[in-house]
Amino acid sequence: MAKQYFDVADIMKESPETMLYLIVGQGGVGKTYSAKFRCVDRFLRFKKKFSCIRNVTPEISASALSSTFSDVEEDKRLEWDLYDPEHKYYCFHILPKGAYFWLVGEDINGKLVWLEQFGRIVAISKAEAFKGGAYNDADTILYDEFISESKPHPRTKSGLSKIIGTVARKTNPDVKVICCGNPDYAIELNPLIEDLHIDYAHLQDNTAYYFDRKADDGQILARNVCFFKVANYK
């Protein structure tokens, strides 16, 4: 039986050497959900955190992000017992506060306890402020709606490059960057797509395309970028 939803983990298994995954398709097929699941799952199992990227500052406000993980929190595959083996909390939430997503425990009386920071939140428009920090405990960067109904942000390419450079230092070379987007605007005008000369309209559905990119020293990074056009999963 064919899978009903897309899962970014399947693509990562096929190309574990790839760093940047550009996943494009209509909403509701599992792009962002599977990426968010990865973030929570890796935190519970390996204590690995993540960075959440959106385009502009209003998109990273607490009100805009308040329900970001509400769907994933109830996923039965998540092993919350790894974090709370003594079952101190009735359930868990992942909520934004300040520049971070926090893991929040809810006790049997409904009291919320803010336990620890789970992921850094940053806007592409403010990427310069992100640069220079220490993020050795993060191994995933999730850039949601990198393609949307509005025009691409002029700092899409440079901002993402700065954020990747900050997180993927020599001490953390295995970081995975997952960019999810809907083909609503003129997709070929997005700087990340334009840079790879992708002809979206002529790509086959549910097929991975790999691209080589050069490192700063000129060395070819084989299959360093994966582009996947998601469709017909439902």
Side-chain angles (χ1 to χ4, degrees):
M1 181 179 178
K3 295 188 69 171
Q4 188 176 10
Y5 294 101
F6 170 81
D7 190 340
V8 69
D10 294 336
I11 306 303
M12 290 182 169
K13 290 177 183 177
E14 293 179 6
S15 58
E17 69 273 35
T18 300
M19 180 188 72
L20 177 60
Y21 298 84
L22 305 176
I23 314 298
V24 180
Q26 296 298 336
V29 294
K31 306 184 306 296
T32 302
Y33 184 95
S34 64
K36 292 187 297 184
F37 178 87
R38 169 189 164 84
C39 294
V40 182
D41 181 59
R42 290 191 65 77
F43 176 73
L44 294 177
R45 293 196 293 131
F46 306 112
K47 289 295 183 180
K48 291 295 184 179
K49 300 182 181 180
F50 84 111
S51 295
C52 172
I53 307 176
R54 299 299 289 266
N55 286 312
V56 292
T57 303
E59 294 179 358
I60 63 171
S61 66
S63 58
L65 297 175
S66 60
S67 61
T68 299
F69 283 90
S70 59
D71 52 353
V72 179
E73 292 167 6
E74 303 298 327
D75 197 306
K76 301 300 183 183
R77 295 172 296 169
L78 292 174
E79 300 179 72
W80 290 108
D81 286 351
L82 294 175
Y83 188 89
D84 182 29
E86 298 180 1
H87 299 102
K88 295 180 180 179
Y89 301 100
Y90 174 72
C91 63
F92 291 91
H93 307 285
I94 298 165
L95 301 173
K97 183 170 70 171
Y100 296 90
F101 277 108
W102 283 71
L103 180 64
V104 181
E106 180 178 342
D107 66 19
I108 195 67
N109 298 314
K111 180 182 178 181
L112 298 182
V113 181
W114 296 76
L115 298 169
E116 65 177 295
Q117 294 171 353
F118 166 63
R120 178 72 187 271
I121 305 169
V122 62
I124 280 291
S125 59
K126 300 292 184 181
E128 190 64 38
F130 186 87
K131 187 177 180 181
Y135 303 95
N136 297 343
D137 54 356
D139 72 348
T140 304
I141 297 173
L142 172 56
Y143 186 0
D144 196 18
E145 297 190 12
F146 85 101
I147 301 174
S148 62
E149 296 179 355
S150 58
K151 292 182 179 180
H153 193 278
R155 297 180 185 174
T156 294
K157 187 176 176 181
S158 62
L160 181 59
S161 178
K162 290 176 181 177
I163 294 170
I164 293 175
T166 299
V167 176
R169 295 180 183 276
K170 291 182 179 179
T171 53
N172 189 16
D174 297 323
V175 64
K176 300 297 184 183
V177 185
I178 308 169
C179 302
C180 300
N182 301 326
D184 295 327
Y185 193 71
I187 185 172
E188 288 82 2
L189 298 181
N190 184 278
L192 300 180
I193 304 300
E194 186 178 38
D195 196 38
L196 297 172
H197 306 288
I198 294 174
D199 185 0
Y200 181 80
H202 292 88
L203 298 183
Q204 294 184 18
D205 292 344
N206 303 324
T207 302
Y209 294 85
Y210 296 95
F211 301 85
D212 293 335
R213 288 178 58 194
K214 291 185 178 181
D216 293 338
D217 60 3
Q219 180 181 358
I220 292 293
L221 303 175
R223 299 180 76 182
N224 188 246
V225 180
C226 171
F227 183 91
F228 197 93
K229 181 180 180 181
V230 186
N232 303 322
Y233 263 77
K234 285 184 141 183

